[in-house]
Amino acid sequence: MTSRRAVRRFTDREVPREVLERVLSAAAWAPSGSNMQPWNTYVLTGSRLAELKKRAIERAASSDPSDERQFEIYPPALKSPYIDRRLAFGRSRYGALGILREDTAARRKVALANWDCFGAPAALFCYIDRDMCRPQWADVGMYLQTIMLLLRAEGLHSCPQVAWSMYHRTVAEVLSPPPGLVLFCGMSIGYEDTTVPEPRTGRAPLSETVTFIED
């Protein structure tokens, strides 16, 4: 669990199909209310993934506006302590890259790596039926966390990317999902490129997030 993190540098080493099948078969046992299993998963590799990366990078590079929102990624007025943690993450990530807050060109270049899946040779895209309720979205979260932990057991890393929901039409052009599904997120999957280490994002102390009530 503590070795899992959002990796943003992958090698081009291929991820074997049997490994992905093993991980996803085990992840199917993730809990879901009334065993509805509300996730709909697509896995892309090879030329199909390359095509999606190409289309997304071209969109982003041309400053093409994102697609209409199917859900809000963040609350419009993010309050403390959540805004503080988000800002601290940004300072840590861009600071490690030597990029100043006002350097919008450099930040944009870094953001483009999202659409290349950070160089990963495999990517997962997870959809949920638009008729599902909040508990089913929580089920999808548990399913995705299970996948990420199972990938670690296989020596692989991942990076969950809700950012892909901003280009859901581009993803749909490649995947052709049935009507009624909402793209929740993508997930880059592969072997970490350790030649350029990145800082590990910290966590809030237990006292901030957990309350023990005892006799």
Side-chain angles (χ1 to χ4, degrees):
M1 179 65 195
T2 56
S3 74
R4 188 220 63 82
R5 68 187 191 283
V7 165
R8 293 179 174 85
R9 295 178 188 273
F10 294 90
T11 70
D12 59 1
R13 178 183 170 188
E14 182 181 349
V15 179
R17 166 76 176 266
E18 58 268 23
V19 172
L20 294 171
E21 289 184 348
R22 185 161 59 239
V23 165
L24 293 169
S25 293
W29 291 93
S32 62
S34 299
N35 196 33
M36 288 200 296
Q37 305 165 68
W39 43 81
N40 296 265
T41 305
Y42 295 77
V43 179
L44 275 178
T45 58
S47 61
R48 297 296 295 278
L49 178 58
E51 176 62 22
L52 177 57
K53 289 179 178 182
K54 178 177 179 291
R55 295 188 186 198
I57 290 171
E58 287 176 350
R59 277 194 68 177
S62 65
S63 299
D64 190 1
S66 60
D67 298 325
E68 74 283 0
R69 298 281 187 177
Q70 296 183 297
F71 61 91
E72 290 295 332
I73 297 178
Y74 299 107
L78 199 57
K79 60 186 179 182
S80 184
Y82 315 110
I83 184 64
D84 307 318
R85 295 170 186 164
R86 186 182 181 195
L87 291 173
F89 165 75
R91 287 192 297 269
S92 173
R93 171 154 170 70
Y94 289 104
L97 296 171
I99 298 174
L100 300 176
R101 183 177 180 81
E102 59 271 19
D103 192 346
T104 55
R107 284 174 171 254
R108 187 174 175 218
K109 183 178 179 181
V110 169
L112 279 175
N114 272 283
W115 316 120
D116 186 46
C117 295
F118 306 106
L124 172 155
F125 294 87
C126 188
Y127 286 80
I128 185 171
D129 194 294
R130 67 175 67 255
D131 294 332
M132 294 292 102
C133 298
R134 290 183 180 179
Q136 286 79 59
W137 284 74
D139 292 342
V140 168
M142 289 188 283
Y143 167 71
L144 292 169
Q145 171 76 334
T146 301
I147 290 173
M148 289 186 280
L149 295 179
L150 289 166
L151 288 169
R152 289 302 302 123
E154 297 282 356
L156 291 157
H157 272 286
S158 61
C159 183
Q161 298 166 262
V162 178
W164 277 104
S165 66
M166 298 165 56
Y167 284 178
H168 61 84
R169 290 189 181 276
T170 299
V171 178
E173 289 171 3
V174 176
L175 301 184
S176 300
L181 294 185
V182 172
L183 177 61
F184 174 50
C185 74
M187 182 188 297
S188 298
I189 298 171
Y191 295 94
E192 181 184 12
D193 180 354
T194 59
T195 60
V196 184
E198 291 193 18
R200 179 77 187 269
T201 304
R203 293 295 184 268
L206 208 62
S207 59
E208 285 188 19
T209 60
V210 177
T211 301
F212 289 97
I213 300 176
E214 301 174 322
D215 293 335

